[in-house]
Structures are given as C-alpha cells and as structure tokens.
Amino acid sequence: MIHDPPLNAPDGAQVYLLRPRDTLRVDPVPIAQMVDALGEIGAEEAICLKLEDLTRHMRRICDFHNACDFEGLATRARSVVDLGDCIGLPLLAKVARDVVISVRNSDDMAVAATVARLTRIADVALFEVGNIQDQGA
C-alpha cells in the first residue's frame, strides 16, 4: 500500500489517499499438474469453469457481505481459497483466508477491508487470466 502526499482537510487535518498495490502472480505448478492430468485442452476448459466459479463466488461474497451474513461469507471465501490454490493464484487464496479469519474473529472493520481487497484481487485475476486466454486463442 502506498499513499500520495497528504492533503489538508478543511479542518486542518491531514488526509492521505491510499493506493493499494497488490501484484498478482501465477504459480505455474498447479496449472502444469492440471495439464499433465487433463491435457492442454482439458486443463483450459477446467480453468475456464473455475474462473466462472470464482465469478459466481465473488458475486455471492458481495451479497453476503452487504446482508451481514458472515457465515455465508466465510463459506464462500473458503471456496475461493480452494479455487485460488487450484488455479495457481496464491494471493487470491491468501486474501480469501484473511476474510475467513476476519469473520472468525468477528472483526467487522477487518472483514470490510479484506472483502474489498479480495474483490480487487479477484477482478485483476479475472481480467489478467482472460487476457492470457485471449492471447492464446
């Protein structure tokens, strides 16, 4: 996380604008294992299905968060952990684990922050993997 120089608020307080900087890295090992097990075309189809699952889970995570359904939120976040591990996105899996931990600790601020971070990372992951697939087609 980086921030720009502080701005002065009308009341004289300093306000910092934060800009998150997460670097998404793909772990090639799970993907290589998938290719070995399913073949290239099978692995590509499996990854596409898992990305669709990720999209669906993220939509539900936002719904559960907005409804303050923390049990449902944690369940979906655990599913995202599994997806991240399966398709070689360790940062996605780590942040989804952080969501689960925040829910378990009943820390509302941490839940909000980690859900926001998970949403940003999932958006980047879906965009980047989509670009890779488009280049391969």
Side-chain angles (χ1 to χ4, degrees):
M1 180 86 59
I2 62 169
H3 62 79
D4 294 326
L7 304 172
N8 290 322
D11 64 359
Q14 290 186 330
V15 177
Y16 289 89
L17 298 177
L18 302 177
R19 291 186 289 140
R21 286 242 166 149
D22 286 312
T23 302
L24 188 68
R25 290 184 175 85
V26 176
D27 178 2
V29 173
I31 296 170
Q33 292 170 339
M34 210 180 301
V35 170
D36 289 345
L38 304 173
E40 194 170 320
I41 292 173
E44 185 175 332
E45 289 173 357
I47 290 169
C48 285
L49 289 173
K50 292 186 184 307
L51 291 174
E52 289 174 14
D53 288 346
L54 175 59
T55 301
R56 190 171 36 263
H57 287 306
M58 290 307 302
R59 190 170 27 249
R60 295 297 293 153
I61 283 172
C62 290
D63 292 344
F64 285 135
H65 184 244
N66 290 335
C68 297
D69 180 349
F70 298 112
E71 187 175 317
L73 174 62
T75 298
R76 290 293 175 143
R78 280 189 287 276
S79 296
V80 173
V81 170
D82 295 340
L83 284 170
D85 288 339
C86 183
I87 59 176
L89 296 172
L91 181 61
L92 181 75
K94 181 206 174 304
V95 176
R97 277 186 201 92
D98 292 343
V99 170
V100 174
I101 291 166
S102 298
V103 169
R104 187 180 313 133
N105 292 337
S106 300
D107 186 339
D108 294 343
M109 295 298 266
V111 170
T114 54
V115 167
R117 185 173 181 216
L118 180 62
T119 301
R120 284 191 307 272
I121 291 166
D123 287 347
V124 169
L126 290 165
F127 179 78
E128 293 296 328
V129 173
N131 279 346
I132 291 169
Q133 288 179 327
D134 289 346
Q135 292 171 2

